[in-house]
Amino acid sequence: MKEDRSVNVKISRIGKVTEPMKSVIETREVMSPKAGQVLIKIKSSAICGSDIHIFKGKHPSAPLPMTIGHEFSGDVAEVGEGVTSVAVGDRVTVEPCIVCGTCDACRHGDYGYCENISFTYRNGDGAMADYILINEPYVYKLPEYLNYDTGSLIEPLSVAAHAVRRGDIRLGETVLVIGAGAIGMLVAAICRKSGAAEVIIADHSDDRLAAAEKLGATMTVNSGKVNLEEEIFRITNGKGVDKSFECVGLEATFLQAMMTLKKNGMATIIGIFENPRINIPASRFVTHEIKIQGAQGYCWDFPIALKIARELDLELLITHHFSLDDIQKALETCLDRKSGSIKVLLHP
Ligand SMILES: [Zn+2]
Ligand SMILES: [Zn+2]
């Protein structure tokens, strides 16, 4: 006898990187949600820097083949038994991590440090797809001031919010953000909102710097044209900056983040290092009593990002739109320096 549920099986396309620089669209069946699950019809899915590291086959913790996509928004298509926080038709976005809830970190509420943390896309549930099944606690309703496109950017905004909160910005401080990709721009915008008086952002692209300025950076430096360290000490009258954020993932930019700090300053490293072994002048830690910390992912940052998104023009980040079937072209556009891409969105 045929099971009744089978009528609710949906066929979903899903994007996957199979080998370096090669992506394909596969199809698979998506079942109706079980108790506590939410089925989402994806509307917008943004390509993240980490998707590009995977596309290049160089992500340090995501070996190929791998489904990709974790920044997305859509409509609730079906809900499983017991789901109360969202209903069919709600516009939603998703916190795409999966944590265990039982390890020491989770029990302390520090789920970002979960010993068993994973991400939906690493479990074969990439969001470059028509449908995705998500557990209810990770689903957030979109406020009316966000559309599907800007709603898909709540994930990177949460990453930036997490980094800035760790960066402990104080009223009146001078901050340097290195790298005007989406994360760098959002970090700069949130630093300003957090009370920094001067937020300097550095990048090689004048177009990106112009967008960063519109989002809230107070000063821009084209670090392809001038020596960034010299320029920062010139701007700060030889003092250096209170805080810096490294949003690139290279030895040169790591060095810039540490060498531009004033004494007792703090750098926060967010970039993904394809080449993790770098050389740094260790004595600087002692002579300048500087601090360097990392920031990754999020922990209770989604609700904050959803609130602060109201005051940020996230549309400024969105440069390209592609249909899901054009995933290969979309990924290549992200790698093409001449494309002027910041955030590239896929639409199923
Ligand atoms: Zn991301
Ligand atoms: Zn845990």
Side-chain angles (χ1 to χ4, degrees):
M1 206 172 80
K2 257 201 161 175
E3 219 189 311
D4 237 358
R5 280 168 60 109
S6 63
V7 293
N8 287 324
V9 169
K10 291 188 163 61
I11 302 296
S12 174
R13 292 169 295 169
I14 185 161
K16 194 178 196 176
V17 177
T18 50
E19 54 188 278
M21 308 303 282
K22 190 163 183 277
S23 61
V24 295
I25 297 284
E26 295 180 345
T27 55
R28 64 169 182 172
E29 292 184 341
V30 179
M31 303 301 283
S32 284
K34 296 195 193 101
Q37 286 185 325
V38 178
L39 181 71
I40 298 167
K41 170 90 184 73
I42 296 171
K43 293 285 194 176
S44 295
S45 199
I47 297 178
C48 173
S50 65
D51 294 319
I52 296 303
H53 290 289
I54 296 170
F55 184 52
K56 291 198 273 182
K58 286 187 175 168
H59 195 294
S61 41
L64 300 182
M66 178 78 54
T67 63
I68 54 169
H70 59 269
E71 306 179 352
F72 63 101
S73 66
D75 290 327
V76 173
E78 283 178 54
V79 295
E81 208 185 303
V83 169
T84 55
S85 62
V86 291
V88 172
D90 281 347
R91 299 178 320 122
V92 294
T93 189
V94 168
E95 183 170 10
C97 60
I98 303 166
V99 300
C100 75
T102 58
C103 72
D104 284 356
C106 281
R107 289 166 68 211
H108 278 123
D110 298 325
Y111 69 87
Y113 301 140
C114 173
E115 290 163 30
N116 306 299
I117 195 163
S118 187
F119 295 87
T120 46
Y121 70 93
R122 294 195 195 163
N123 289 357
D125 290 320
M128 306 298 178
D130 292 302
Y131 290 95
I132 192 167
L133 266 176
I134 299 288
N135 290 330
E136 181 183 14
Y138 300 97
V139 181
Y140 292 84
K141 264 194 226 178
L142 288 180
E144 80 287 344
Y145 47 83
L146 292 174
N147 57 34
Y148 295 117
D149 291 354
T150 52
S152 74
L153 302 185
I154 291 301
E155 196 270 358
L157 185 59
S158 300
V159 171
H162 183 69
V164 175
R165 294 208 298 145
R166 280 181 65 72
D168 193 25
I169 300 299
R170 305 291 174 90
L171 197 62
E173 282 187 335
T174 297
V175 175
L176 169 64
V177 179
I178 302 167
I183 296 291
M185 286 190 206
L186 293 171
V187 164
I190 303 172
C191 282
R192 188 86 176 94
K193 295 235 170 284
S194 303
E198 209 70 82
V199 180
I200 309 159
I201 188 161
D203 197 276
H204 287 202
S205 156
D206 286 324
D207 291 346
R208 283 168 175 245
L209 290 173
E213 213 163 12
K214 281 190 199 143
L215 262 166
T218 59
M219 216 181 278
T220 63
V221 177
N222 187 320
S223 45
K225 292 179 184 157
V226 297
N227 179 303
L228 180 59
E229 276 178 50
E230 285 172 19
E231 187 63 11
I232 291 301
F233 284 104
R234 192 187 65 75
I235 292 169
T236 58
N237 296 318
K239 290 192 178 72
V241 298
D242 297 289
K243 304 280 165 62
S244 65
F245 292 86
E246 199 283 344
C247 310
V248 181
L250 294 172
E251 174 173 309
T253 45
F254 188 108
L255 274 167
Q256 288 164 346
M258 73 180 276
M259 299 307 280
T260 52
L261 290 173
K262 65 163 63 159
K263 289 190 173 182
N264 197 28
M266 180 162 73
T268 302
I269 311 297
I270 313 165
I272 293 178
F273 287 74
E274 289 181 354
N275 210 343
R277 294 217 154 259
I278 62 168
N279 270 311
I280 55 171
S283 58
R284 190 78 167 189
F285 287 90
V286 182
T287 59
H288 284 59
E289 290 201 345
I290 56 170
K291 303 178 197 77
I292 298 194
Q293 65 170 357
Q296 186 181 42
Y298 19 77
C299 191
W300 308 116
D301 296 289
F302 261 68
I304 295 172
L306 282 162
K307 281 187 250 180
I308 60 175
R310 176 182 225 136
E311 298 169 31
L312 296 174
D313 187 1
L314 296 174
E315 299 275 3
L316 285 168
L317 297 174
I318 301 168
T319 53
H320 293 73
H321 298 266
F322 288 94
S323 72
L324 177 59
D325 289 324
D326 287 330
I327 186 168
Q328 178 73 21
K329 216 157 108 194
L331 289 164
E332 286 168 359
T333 299
C334 296
L335 279 171
D336 177 6
R337 290 232 173 115
K338 280 175 272 168
S339 71
S341 66
I342 302 172
K343 268 295 180 193
V344 174
L345 266 51
L346 283 168
H347 304 285

